[in-house]
Every structure is written in C-alpha cells, then in structure tokens.
Amino acid sequence: MTREERLAILGPAVVAHIHERVAEAPEPTDELVENLRRIMTNPAGEIPAPRPAETARPAAKAA
C-alpha cells in the first residue's frame, strides 16, 4: 500500500495521530535491536543438519 492509498483510506487526521504516537515511542535498546536482528536474519531458526537416509528393505522380487 502506498502512502497516498493509506492517506486516502485513513484520512489525514488519523495519519497525523499515528505519526504523533510513533514520535512518542522511546528508542529501542541495543539489546532489543540485536535480538530483533538475529530473528529477522534467520526467522526459521537453525536449519537442521541432513540425516542419513534410512536403509530400505529391498523390494520383493516379481514372480
């Protein structure tokens, strides 16, 4: 959604109110930024190591 679309949907008063509330928010701590960076760079977590294939029994011989 573009800024223009958002403004058309919400209206200038609501957008101004959102900007005021965001300006009131405190700056994040370094610890929070680092935690979020780790989450965002690897959101699925560690990729599991490949497992060896299970040994399969040979298929039955056709008669």
Side-chain angles (χ1 to χ4, degrees), residues 25-47:
E27 289 294 317
T29 63
D30 291 341
E31 180 183 8
L32 176 61
V33 171
E34 181 59 29
N35 287 339
L36 291 174
R37 182 177 291 123
R38 289 192 354 238
I39 292 168
M40 299 302 282
T41 56
N42 194 8
E46 292 293 322
I47 298 172

Side-chain angles (χ1 to χ4, degrees), residues 56-63:
R57 297 188 317 222
K61 293 183 180 179

